[in-house]
Every structure is written in C-alpha cells, then in structure tokens.
C-alpha cells in the first residue's frame, strides 16, 4: 500500500510539475519579448534623433531577443539604408520578407536595397511583387527610378504616370 500511495502521489504531481515547467518557459519567453520591445522603442527614439548607428545597435538587440518582430526587422533595414550599409539592408530585408512575404512594404524595402546596390533587375522584381500586393505611390516612385537605372525611358515615364495617378487617387478617396 505504501508503494501504491507513493506512485499515486508522484502521478498527481506530474501535472503540477508540467505546469511549473511551462510557466518558467512562458515567463522567460515573455521577458525576452518585453526586453525586445524596450530595445525597439529606444531604437525608434534614437532614429528620430538621427543617431542611426546607435539605433542599429538597439534594433540588433531587439531582433536577437525577438526574431519574429516584423516592425523591428523593417525599421532595422531602413536604418541600414540610411547609413549606406546596403548589403546589410538587403540581408535584413530578405529576413523580413522570409518571415512575412505579405508584410507591408517588405518587397519595397528589399527593392530599395537592391536599387542602391545597382541590382536593378532584381529590384524591379521586388517592386512588381510589392505592386501586386499594394498599390501605393512609393512603389511607383521606386519603379520609375529602377527603370531609369535600366535606361528604359518609356517604362520610367509610365511608372511616373502611375505615381501621379496613385497620388491623385489617394487624395480623392
């Protein structure tokens, strides 16, 4: 009877131990997200103060602690573009795109990095992907400058016309 009692006691403790293990894991993960959000907010303030290199460091900490934070990846990419670190911007944009291919402006940010690297054909592919998802002026602007880089004046003019139409439509609706 005492062995049966001990086994019964151990079996009754299993759910409690599982719950404690889950709670420890959950709290640890939530603390990471909380800390990541703190770095994200600090990075955003630094960016507004034009302290872009410090901002990049904070975004790096944010994405390390919470690698699924799409806003952090998006802003991280933009900071790299601002300081001329285009290869790093491209890698961050590719990470953002892989995490969420439909994230607003993911393809556009990637196109901006590709454009600045002189990889116009790839940039055009990213812009076209963006335009399939969203019809917004910035995409038409990059579309025009990429066509300029490709020396295609007709396509550049068409993209500029679409830019004007997108701006007019946005103001009317």
């Amino acid at each position: 009877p005492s062995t049966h009692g001990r086994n019964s006691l151990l079996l009754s403790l299993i759910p409690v131990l599982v719950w404690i293990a889950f709670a420890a894991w959950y709290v640890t993960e939530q603390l990471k997200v909380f800390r990541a959000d703190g770095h994200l907010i600090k990075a955003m303030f630094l960016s507004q103060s034009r302290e872009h290199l410090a901002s990049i460091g904070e975004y790096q900490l944010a994405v390390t602690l919470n690698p699924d934070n799409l806003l952090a990846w998006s802003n991280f990419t933009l900071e790299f573009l601002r300081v001329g670190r285009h290869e790093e911007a491209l890698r961050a944009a590719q990470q953002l795109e892989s995490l969420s291919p439909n994230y607003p402006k993911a393809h556009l940010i990637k196109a901006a990095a590709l454009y600045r690297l002189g990889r116009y054909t790839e940039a055009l592919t990213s812009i076209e992907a963006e335009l399939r998802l969203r019809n917004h002026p910035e995409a038409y602007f990059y579309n025009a400058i990429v066509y300029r880089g490709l020396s295609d004046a007709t396509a550049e003019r068409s993209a500029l016309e679409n830019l004007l139409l997108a701006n007019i439509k946005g103001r009317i609706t």
Side-chain angles (χ1 to χ4, degrees), residues 23-50:
W25 168 81
Y26 181 78
V27 166
T28 302
E29 289 305 307
Q30 288 304 307
L31 284 174
K32 281 184 186 177
V33 169
F34 182 73
R35 287 178 45 221
D37 287 347
H39 289 292
L40 175 64
I41 291 166
K42 186 174 181 182
M44 293 166 93
F45 278 114
L46 288 166
S47 179
Q48 287 297 314
S49 300
R50 303 204 186 291

Side-chain angles (χ1 to χ4, degrees), residues 38-92:
H39 289 292
L40 175 64
I41 291 166
K42 186 174 181 182
M44 293 166 93
F45 278 114
L46 288 166
S47 179
Q48 287 297 314
S49 300
R50 303 204 186 291
E51 297 179 45
H52 301 296
L53 294 177
S55 178
I56 286 171
E58 291 297 323
Y59 281 123
Q60 180 65 58
L61 292 169
V63 298
T64 299
L65 289 167
N66 185 3
D68 296 329
N69 188 323
L70 301 176
L71 178 61
W73 279 108
S74 175
N75 290 353
F76 193 29
T77 304
L78 292 172
E79 287 300 300
F80 281 134
L81 288 171
R82 286 182 180 120
V83 298
R85 291 165 59 178
H86 303 126
E87 286 289 342
E88 291 165 289
L90 178 58
R91 283 192 295 278

Side-chain angles (χ1 to χ4, degrees), residues 142-154:
Y142 269 98
N143 203 13
I145 64 172
V146 166
Y147 278 123
R148 176 180 287 167
L150 291 168
S151 300
D152 186 339
T154 304

